[in-house]
Amino acid sequence: MDLCWHRRDLRVTDNRMLAGRNALPVFVLDEAVLEHAAPPRVAFMLDALESLREAYRERGGNLLIERGDPSAVVPTLAAEFGVDTVVWNHDYSGLARERDEAVRAALDERGINHEQYHDAVIHEPGSITTTDGDPYSVFTYFGKKWLDRDKPDPVSAPESVSDPDDPGGIPALSDLGFEAPEGSVPDAGPDAAENRLETFCDGPIRRYEEDRDYPSRGGTSRLSVDLKFGTVGIRRVYAATENAKAEAGSKEERGSVEEFQSQLAWREFYTQVLYYHPNVVTKNYKTYDGEIEWRTDEEGFDAWTEGKTGYPIVDAGMRQLREESWMHNRVRMLVAAFLTKDLLVDWREGYDWFRKHLVDHDTGNDTGGWQWAASTGTDAQPYFRIFNPMTQGERYDPDAEYIREYVPELREVDPKTIHAWHDLDDEARPDVGYPAPIVDHAIRREVAIETFERARGEE
């Protein structure tokens, strides 16, 4: 019997640490991890644990729940149950790697065997490098190699599952010191994940390239939370996309499937960046000759968080985040660009807000996305290419369907008026309780460029 320590792999099938084993499955509620958590993610995690426990019960076993420091809990459980080996799947953030090293050291001290597997990614960090053996800092080359390489098939389920006498209870959110999430949280667990995957691959994936940037079309997979918590295996996801590509009826449909597959590659690219540069959580990846003169703008930041900037597409996104603990990817780019360029607020403040409110917060993806928008990251948006939030709204939400769904003040306002909101004076702007723009984008664009040029030593 092997002790199988779950973390971000809350499923029984297509889980490399479980494949073919006689498993004693364990989940440890780690206080150090919970310190960095937030209500939406903890709520989803607890629901996923309920689903995982039920899956083990269906196999005649149970999930053991413990709370405490894994470096103390895991070796103690291993000794208590007399297991042959302790196994777990790798995680890649700096905090996770420090935790895992502490567990390895504690197991070594007690002479307990242990094994680890790369499960959350298809191609592990360090397996795709430059000809010199260095990790890529540009996605294009990494992505091409990622797409060209053979992909492993989903792995088998465990042979058997132990049923401990006292498996422990799954706590309520309040027991862990968290209040209820402000927004809704999606259904959790492998069944819910499989439903999302099948729904996406049955249709939207074939229009993904065309629809993915339009938030009102529902063209994205919504699988980010499942990949974050491992309620679906990445090999299972890739296999489903390959089936969808094989069933595609045209070159365009196949191209759309491949575009989605490239997004899976982006996810692993950012995982690799985090693995080799764990300080990207707090430090700029790209260095400038001088410091970027970020502003302290409490009023602007508050308006941004509340969805009251007077830029409709930005506000729709920020309100969607509050309502659903999730935001459409194109809009994530726009709200991040607005905060870091129009308001010149440090990307770390935006990252921290997302960390507290996103149910699918993933350290690698989110630091990558924020540093991309802030022009401080690897393969980032050039500092002089600054999204215009009004033209972006008009292009990707032309009928203002998305905007009017999340900004109720504008539901009776004509789309042309919504997209011209920044150009209207106070008399022409309808009095519907929605604010005028808090900044002039054209002016702030020039200020941002000048600020970054000073940081580059060009002034």
Side-chain angles (χ1 to χ4, degrees):
M1 178 177 67
D2 298 323
L3 189 152
C4 301
W5 176 27
H6 281 280
R7 293 98 65 78
R8 286 181 49 183
D9 52 358
L10 304 183
R11 67 189 185 281
V12 176
T13 59
D14 190 26
N15 187 324
R16 288 194 66 197
M17 77 165 178
L18 296 173
R21 292 187 182 276
N22 300 315
L24 170 65
V26 176
F27 185 87
V28 181
L29 292 157
D30 183 350
E31 302 292 348
V33 172
L34 290 172
E35 287 180 8
H36 295 270
R41 284 179 284 129
V42 178
F44 185 93
M45 179 192 73
L46 294 176
D47 288 347
L49 287 174
E50 292 280 6
S51 179
L52 180 61
R53 169 165 278 181
E54 183 58 33
Y56 278 126
R57 285 172 174 164
E58 292 173 356
R59 288 167 169 80
N62 212 326
L63 174 68
L64 184 61
I65 303 289
E66 295 286 342
R67 186 172 178 178
D69 181 348
S71 66
V73 172
V74 171
T76 298
L77 289 175
E80 177 184 343
F81 286 93
V83 301
D84 298 314
T85 306
V86 177
V87 296
W88 67 88
N89 293 320
H90 287 288
D91 200 352
Y92 302 106
S93 71
L95 175 65
R97 291 164 69 186
E98 289 174 6
R99 172 201 61 200
D100 292 0
E101 182 54 40
V103 174
R104 277 191 290 269
L107 291 171
D108 288 341
E109 185 176 343
R110 300 179 70 161
I112 299 172
N113 295 327
H114 55 85
E115 297 174 4
Q116 294 87 52
Y117 298 90
H118 291 282
D119 175 77
V121 293
I122 290 177
H123 300 300
E124 64 194 66
S127 63
I128 297 179
T129 63
T130 68
T131 53
D132 292 331
D134 297 323
Y136 278 106
S137 60
V138 175
F139 172 75
T140 304
Y141 307 110
F142 176 93
K144 186 178 187 305
K145 286 187 177 181
W146 190 97
L147 290 167
D148 287 345
R149 292 203 174 180
D150 290 339
K151 303 294 185 289
D153 294 327
V155 299
S156 62
E159 287 189 2
S160 65
V161 182
S162 297
D163 187 6
D165 293 334
D166 182 14
I170 297 175
L173 195 62
S174 58
D175 295 334
L176 299 176
F178 293 93
E179 297 180 353
E182 181 178 2
S184 61
V185 173
D187 292 341
D191 288 345
E194 187 66 24
N195 286 338
R196 282 188 279 270
L197 178 60
E198 290 182 358
T199 298
F200 180 61
C201 288
D202 282 346
I205 195 172
R206 296 182 178 90
R207 304 183 301 274
Y208 181 75
E209 190 167 23
E210 177 184 353
D211 289 351
R212 69 189 183 99
D213 284 326
Y214 295 83
S216 67
R217 295 183 182 179
T220 59
S221 72
R222 293 282 188 136
L223 289 169
S224 53
V225 67
D226 299 303
L227 293 171
K228 155 70 181 181
F229 286 97
T231 49
V232 69
I234 185 61
R235 290 160 298 278
R236 164 65 186 136
V237 172
Y238 190 84
T241 66
E242 283 291 278
N243 289 338
K245 186 162 64 172
E247 296 170 0
S250 66
K251 180 180 179 181
E252 289 73 22
E253 288 185 353
R254 289 191 295 274
S256 281
V257 175
E258 290 169 354
E259 179 59 35
F260 178 75
Q261 291 174 334
S262 76
Q263 298 305 308
L264 300 178
W266 266 107
R267 175 177 173 270
E268 297 197 6
F269 174 69
Y270 281 141
T271 298
Q272 175 184 268
V273 172
L274 178 65
Y275 182 82
Y276 285 104
H277 305 277
N279 63 354
V280 293
V281 178
T282 56
K283 304 291 185 182
N284 294 339
Y285 178 92
K286 179 186 294 184
T287 58
Y288 289 85
D289 291 339
E291 293 293 324
I292 300 170
E293 299 163 15
W294 301 115
R295 294 186 172 192
T296 299
D297 184 354
E298 292 183 6
E299 289 187 6
F301 184 77
D302 288 345
W304 180 79
T305 63
E306 294 168 6
K308 296 180 179 179
T309 67
Y311 285 89
I313 192 74
V314 171
D315 294 338
M318 296 306 295
R319 297 191 197 189
Q320 182 183 29
L321 177 60
R322 283 182 175 270
E323 290 181 25
E324 300 177 8
S325 308
W326 184 87
M327 190 192 303
H328 184 273
N329 186 59
R330 163 61 62 171
V331 187
R332 293 189 197 200
M333 296 163 60
L334 300 180
V335 303
F338 185 86
L339 184 72
T340 58
K341 301 296 174 58
D342 288 73
L343 299 184
L344 270 176
V345 170
D346 194 323
W347 64 266
R348 282 158 280 228
E349 294 191 39
Y351 168 81
D352 192 55
W353 185 261
F354 270 31
R355 180 183 64 82
K356 293 174 181 175
H357 289 82
L358 280 174
V359 70
D360 63 356
H361 165 72
D362 178 276
T363 305
N365 278 351
D366 281 1
T367 54
W370 273 98
Q371 293 225 43
W372 182 90
S375 302
T376 61
T378 175
D379 213 5
Q381 174 87 325
Y383 72 91
F384 50 83
R385 291 181 183 170
I386 298 176
F387 286 127
N388 182 318
M390 299 308 300
T391 58
Q392 289 284 310
E394 188 171 14
R395 179 180 303 165
Y396 294 111
D397 191 28
D399 297 323
E401 295 174 75
Y402 174 77
I403 290 169
R404 289 191 287 188
E405 179 177 357
Y406 294 102
V407 185
E409 305 98 292
L410 297 176
R411 282 180 184 162
E412 303 303 321
V413 178
D414 180 83
K416 290 184 179 180
T417 301
I418 291 174
H419 295 311
W421 199 259
H422 64 303
D423 285 331
L424 302 176
D425 58 32
D426 291 340
E427 293 183 1
R429 193 176 291 120
D431 184 12
V432 292
Y434 181 69
I438 61 172
V439 295
D440 185 316
H441 170 74
I443 293 174
R444 287 304 182 94
R445 176 184 181 278
E446 296 304 317
V447 171
I449 291 173
E450 292 171 2
T451 300
F452 276 82
E453 286 179 345
R454 283 196 297 274
R456 286 166 52 87
E458 296 181 8
E459 288 189 5

